[in-house]
Amino acid sequence: MPPSRWRSSSPDSVAPLPLRNLPKRSRPTHSHQRKERVIMTDLGIIGAGKIGAAIARLATGVGYTVTLGSRRGPDGLRRLASELGANATPGTAADAAAAGDMVVVAVPFSAIGDLPREELAGKILIDAMN
């Protein structure tokens, strides 16, 4: 949209201004104005099928610590965990839920009753159920 159409001559209408005319944000100068950033680097993944494994590969590739959990238990996940490297740990679904700051649930919807509810309480949950 050309800039001539952004402004209206009518005082009753409101038209967007170009971004270059907006003032820059000022930085907080007092310590009470600064917000602490919480960095979450531990990810629990329940379900190690195609979706769970793909998320685990991406997460470990950018430095997240991943705990994998599935119905197969830790023995069925050792091969995937070794492929992912030192940042991946095999475990049970309860281990993955307890270890992660955030938890990805990538299981079939029919397995919703098998999720570890107590360990998931209060966690950030990413639903990738299928």
Side-chain angles (χ1 to χ4, degrees):
M1 185 181 308
S4 63
R5 300 172 100 192
W6 287 18
R7 292 187 181 91
S8 174
S9 59
S10 169
D12 296 331
S13 65
V14 177
L17 294 173
L19 292 177
R20 67 179 180 270
N21 293 339
L22 297 176
K24 292 183 179 179
R25 288 185 172 203
S26 60
R27 292 185 180 172
T29 56
H30 301 290
S31 61
H32 69 278
Q33 290 178 319
R34 293 186 191 123
K35 292 183 180 180
E36 294 294 323
R37 296 179 88 187
V38 177
I39 299 173
M40 297 182 182
T41 59
D42 296 327
L43 183 65
I45 299 176
I46 300 174
K50 291 181 181 180
I51 295 171
I55 293 171
R57 282 188 182 89
L58 293 169
T60 55
V62 295
Y64 280 84
T65 302
V66 174
T67 303
L68 299 162
S70 76
R71 290 180 285 184
R72 295 178 281 178
D75 294 333
L77 299 171
R78 292 199 198 286
R79 187 172 127 208
L80 175 60
S82 66
E83 287 175 19
L84 297 174
N87 284 349
T89 306
T92 62
D95 294 337
D101 297 322
M102 299 175 288
V103 180
V104 175
V105 179
V107 297
F109 190 73
S110 60
I112 195 169
D114 299 333
L115 294 176
R117 293 180 186 193
E118 290 179 14
E119 289 84 354
L120 289 171
K123 301 284 180 145
I124 296 172
L125 183 67
I126 302 168
D127 181 0
M129 287 189 211
N130 49 16

